[in-house]
Every structure is written in structure tokens, then in C-alpha cells.
Amino acid sequence: MTTLLVIAKEPRPGLVKTRLTPPFTPEEAAVLAEAALTDTLRAVAAAPARRRVLVLDGDTGPWLPPGFDVVPQCAGGLDERLAAAFADCDGPALLIGMDTPQVTPHLLAVDLDGYGACFGPAEDGGFWALGLADPDPGLLRGVPMSTPTTGAVQRDRLIAAGLRVRDLPPLRDVDTFADAEAVAAAAPHGCFAAELARLRTAGRR
């Protein structure tokens, strides 16, 4: 079975979801980040996995469910941190972030049989999921992150390595207020949608 990896930041004001401020305050943006992380971890906890790992920048909190190993993120750029997360795996692994709280256990139950990799594109040009049947950190190092072409470059890197790639459905990352509204509408019963509705009511946004 697959190791499921979640790379995330501790939801602290001023350090997460900064593009949501404004309209939200840094404290409110951190609340939304925590809700997104909660939904993500719950989906991972409910998906079949050999091991579940939270690769964390910061400290854990009450939002962490049981059953996860927690390892610190390494220093360096995002490509180095993603590469290091895969380097700790000794078998098939699927990595996601904390920006897609609409993810479901079904989406994470990826069968890599016959594939060298799986790839979930994000609507902003990045990717929300990357799975490797035989984790090779070199497949990520040097990929330019947080650009409109990050996803295309990463997928091309997989193809160039001779891997057969299974494509997953595209998902929308939560970066802006418009993203938050769209993602909440796509997953109306999650913690993220509930917190967004509460904050919008409180602030009449």
C-alpha cells in the first residue's frame, strides 16, 4: 500500500494564507488554514495507506488526528522540501499539500499498479498531488515552484524519466478569496466551508 504524505505549515497568523489578507485578518486567515488542514488530514486518515506522514513546518496542535507520523520539513526551497519528504519513503508514496480541503479519501486511493507516477494538476498551474511508485528525490529537485508552469514542468520531468503517468482530476488550490469561495462550494460540509461561512457572517463579507 501507499504512504500518504501531507506537507504543511503550522497554521499561525501571518505565516499562512497571506493572500487572504485582505479581506481577512491574519488571525482569520490562520483559522481558515487550520480548517483546510483539518479537512485534509481527515481525508488522509480515512484513505487506505500503509503509513500516514505529516511533513510539518512548525508545531503540531489539536487539529492533528491520531495515526500520523510527524517529521519536520528540511531547510531549502519547496522543491528541496518535497524531495526530502519522498526521500524518507521506502515504497510507493503520494504527496499532497494543505491547500485543497475538498480532497476526498476516494481521490487519495490511487492505484499505481502499472504506473511509475501519478499527477494531480492544480487549476493555478501547479499540482495538488504527486505520487511515485519508486520515490526518487531527483525528480523534484530543481523544478521551479509557485509559478504558472510548475505543474507542466514537473509532469514533463516525470515523462522525461520514462515514467508512465496516471493523471488525477484537477483541483483548485485555496490562495485567494475567490478560491476560498469556490472550494467551499465544492465541499460544503467540511470544516473549511463552515469556517468560511462563519467568518463571512461575522464580518458581513
mmCIF file of all heavy atoms in Angstrom, residues 80-99:
data_model
loop_
_atom_site.group_PDB
_atom_site.id
_atom_site.type_symbol
_atom_site.label_atom_id
_atom_site.label_comp_id
_atom_site.label_asym_id
_atom_site.label_seq_id
_atom_site.Cartn_x
_atom_site.Cartn_y
_atom_site.Cartn_z
ATOM 1 N N GLU A 80 13.238 21.297 -2.682
ATOM 2 C CA GLU A 80 14.083 20.509 -1.784
ATOM 3 C C GLU A 80 13.262 19.868 -0.667
ATOM 4 O O GLU A 80 13.527 18.734 -0.264
ATOM 5 C CB GLU A 80 15.172 21.395 -1.183
ATOM 6 C CG GLU A 80 16.245 21.830 -2.173
ATOM 7 C CD GLU A 80 17.139 20.675 -2.596
ATOM 8 O OE1 GLU A 80 17.134 19.625 -1.926
ATOM 9 O OE2 GLU A 80 17.844 20.825 -3.609
ATOM 10 N N ARG A 81 12.271 20.595 -0.165
ATOM 11 C CA ARG A 81 11.452 20.051 0.923
ATOM 12 C C ARG A 81 10.565 18.907 0.441
ATOM 13 O O ARG A 81 10.383 17.905 1.145
ATOM 14 C CB ARG A 81 10.613 21.165 1.547
ATOM 15 C CG ARG A 81 11.463 22.132 2.383
ATOM 16 C CD ARG A 81 10.635 23.262 2.955
ATOM 17 N NE ARG A 81 10.431 24.328 1.982
ATOM 18 C CZ ARG A 81 9.320 25.055 1.878
ATOM 19 N NH1 ARG A 81 8.284 24.801 2.647
ATOM 20 N NH2 ARG A 81 9.235 26.022 0.995
ATOM 21 N N LEU A 82 10.031 19.035 -0.775
ATOM 22 C CA LEU A 82 9.247 17.937 -1.339
ATOM 23 C C LEU A 82 10.136 16.730 -1.622
ATOM 24 O O LEU A 82 9.758 15.587 -1.344
ATOM 25 C CB LEU A 82 8.561 18.392 -2.624
ATOM 26 C CG LEU A 82 7.521 19.504 -2.516
ATOM 27 C CD1 LEU A 82 6.972 19.849 -3.891
ATOM 28 C CD2 LEU A 82 6.394 19.125 -1.584
ATOM 29 N N ALA A 83 11.317 16.989 -2.167
ATOM 30 C CA ALA A 83 12.248 15.901 -2.452
ATOM 31 C C ALA A 83 12.626 15.150 -1.184
ATOM 32 O O ALA A 83 12.670 13.913 -1.167
ATOM 33 C CB ALA A 83 13.500 16.455 -3.140
ATOM 34 N N ALA A 84 12.875 15.888 -0.101
ATOM 35 C CA ALA A 84 13.244 15.260 1.168
ATOM 36 C C ALA A 84 12.110 14.415 1.721
ATOM 37 O O ALA A 84 12.344 13.366 2.335
ATOM 38 C CB ALA A 84 13.655 16.326 2.174
ATOM 39 N N ALA A 85 10.873 14.857 1.525
ATOM 40 C CA ALA A 85 9.726 14.073 2.000
ATOM 41 C C ALA A 85 9.685 12.716 1.313
ATOM 42 O O ALA A 85 9.456 11.679 1.950
ATOM 43 C CB ALA A 85 8.431 14.842 1.758
ATOM 44 N N PHE A 86 9.928 12.705 0.007
ATOM 45 C CA PHE A 86 9.945 11.430 -0.717
ATOM 46 C C PHE A 86 11.168 10.594 -0.361
ATOM 47 O O PHE A 86 11.104 9.358 -0.369
ATOM 48 C CB PHE A 86 9.912 11.679 -2.225
ATOM 49 C CG PHE A 86 8.547 11.936 -2.775
ATOM 50 C CD1 PHE A 86 8.178 13.197 -3.210
ATOM 51 C CD2 PHE A 86 7.613 10.912 -2.865
ATOM 52 C CE1 PHE A 86 6.909 13.437 -3.729
ATOM 53 C CE2 PHE A 86 6.343 11.126 -3.376
ATOM 54 C CZ PHE A 86 5.985 12.403 -3.810
ATOM 55 N N ALA A 87 12.264 11.244 -0.033
ATOM 56 C CA ALA A 87 13.489 10.508 0.277
ATOM 57 C C ALA A 87 13.323 9.621 1.501
ATOM 58 O O ALA A 87 14.041 8.621 1.649
ATOM 59 C CB ALA A 87 14.644 11.486 0.485
ATOM 60 N N ASP A 88 12.402 9.963 2.381
ATOM 61 C CA ASP A 88 12.181 9.183 3.593
ATOM 62 C C ASP A 88 11.263 7.989 3.374
ATOM 63 O O ASP A 88 10.962 7.261 4.322
ATOM 64 C CB ASP A 88 11.591 10.079 4.690
ATOM 65 C CG ASP A 88 12.630 11.031 5.278
ATOM 66 O OD1 ASP A 88 13.828 10.725 5.172
ATOM 67 O OD2 ASP A 88 12.233 12.077 5.829
ATOM 68 N N CYS A 89 10.794 7.790 2.150
ATOM 69 C CA CYS A 89 9.852 6.704 1.862
ATOM 70 C C CYS A 89 10.583 5.528 1.216
ATOM 71 O O CYS A 89 11.452 5.725 0.374
ATOM 72 C CB CYS A 89 8.745 7.195 0.928
ATOM 73 S SG CYS A 89 7.759 8.542 1.611
ATOM 74 N N ASP A 90 10.197 4.320 1.601
ATOM 75 C CA ASP A 90 10.841 3.128 1.059
ATOM 76 C C ASP A 90 9.910 2.334 0.156
ATOM 77 O O ASP A 90 10.137 1.162 -0.118
ATOM 78 C CB ASP A 90 11.363 2.246 2.188
ATOM 79 C CG ASP A 90 10.251 1.801 3.140
ATOM 80 O OD1 ASP A 90 9.078 2.157 2.912
ATOM 81 O OD2 ASP A 90 10.566 1.090 4.111
ATOM 82 N N GLY A 91 8.852 2.970 -0.314
ATOM 83 C CA GLY A 91 7.911 2.318 -1.213
ATOM 84 C C GLY A 91 7.022 3.357 -1.850
ATOM 85 O O GLY A 91 7.285 4.560 -1.734
ATOM 86 N N PRO A 92 5.983 2.934 -2.564
ATOM 87 C CA PRO A 92 5.103 3.886 -3.231
ATOM 88 C C PRO A 92 4.598 4.963 -2.269
ATOM 89 O O PRO A 92 4.238 4.672 -1.128
ATOM 90 C CB PRO A 92 3.957 3.019 -3.740
ATOM 91 C CG PRO A 92 4.550 1.652 -3.885
ATOM 92 C CD PRO A 92 5.547 1.539 -2.769
ATOM 93 N N ALA A 93 4.575 6.210 -2.742
ATOM 94 C CA ALA A 93 4.170 7.327 -1.894
ATOM 95 C C ALA A 93 3.390 8.344 -2.706
ATOM 96 O O ALA A 93 3.680 8.583 -3.883
ATOM 97 C CB ALA A 93 5.401 7.988 -1.266
ATOM 98 N N LEU A 94 2.402 8.946 -2.054
ATOM 99 C CA LEU A 94 1.587 10.001 -2.657
ATOM 100 C C LEU A 94 1.641 11.204 -1.741
ATOM 101 O O LEU A 94 1.332 11.099 -0.545
ATOM 102 C CB LEU A 94 0.148 9.537 -2.832
ATOM 103 C CG LEU A 94 -0.856 10.584 -3.339
ATOM 104 C CD1 LEU A 94 -0.541 10.962 -4.773
ATOM 105 C CD2 LEU A 94 -2.284 10.056 -3.234
ATOM 106 N N LEU A 95 2.036 12.353 -2.297
ATOM 107 C CA LEU A 95 2.173 13.575 -1.513
ATOM 108 C C LEU A 95 1.139 14.603 -1.940
ATOM 109 O O LEU A 95 0.914 14.806 -3.135
ATOM 110 C CB LEU A 95 3.585 14.147 -1.695
ATOM 111 C CG LEU A 95 3.906 15.431 -0.925
ATOM 112 C CD1 LEU A 95 5.355 15.418 -0.446
ATOM 113 C CD2 LEU A 95 3.668 16.679 -1.799
ATOM 114 N N ILE A 96 0.512 15.242 -0.931
ATOM 115 C CA ILE A 96 -0.396 16.352 -1.183
ATOM 116 C C ILE A 96 -0.046 17.481 -0.215
ATOM 117 O O ILE A 96 0.727 17.297 0.724
ATOM 118 C CB ILE A 96 -1.883 15.959 -1.017
ATOM 119 C CG1 ILE A 96 -2.200 15.579 0.441
ATOM 120 C CG2 ILE A 96 -2.243 14.817 -1.958
ATOM 121 C CD1 ILE A 96 -3.687 15.388 0.718
ATOM 122 N N GLY A 97 -0.635 18.656 -0.455
ATOM 123 C CA GLY A 97 -0.463 19.791 0.445
ATOM 124 C C GLY A 97 -1.708 20.029 1.280
ATOM 125 O O GLY A 97 -2.586 19.163 1.370
ATOM 126 N N MET A 98 -1.799 21.217 1.862
ATOM 127 C CA MET A 98 -2.923 21.561 2.735
ATOM 128 C C MET A 98 -3.858 22.570 2.083
ATOM 129 O O MET A 98 -4.748 23.104 2.732
ATOM 130 C CB MET A 98 -2.413 22.139 4.060
ATOM 131 C CG MET A 98 -1.568 23.391 3.914
ATOM 132 S SD MET A 98 -0.887 24.023 5.482
ATOM 133 C CE MET A 98 -2.337 24.781 6.224
ATOM 134 N N ASP A 99 -3.672 22.816 0.776
ATOM 135 C CA ASP A 99 -4.421 23.870 0.088
ATOM 136 C C ASP A 99 -5.656 23.366 -0.645
ATOM 137 O O ASP A 99 -6.328 24.151 -1.322
ATOM 138 C CB ASP A 99 -3.515 24.593 -0.909
ATOM 139 C CG ASP A 99 -2.374 25.322 -0.228
ATOM 140 O OD1 ASP A 99 -2.541 25.723 0.935
ATOM 141 O OD2 ASP A 99 -1.313 25.490 -0.865
#
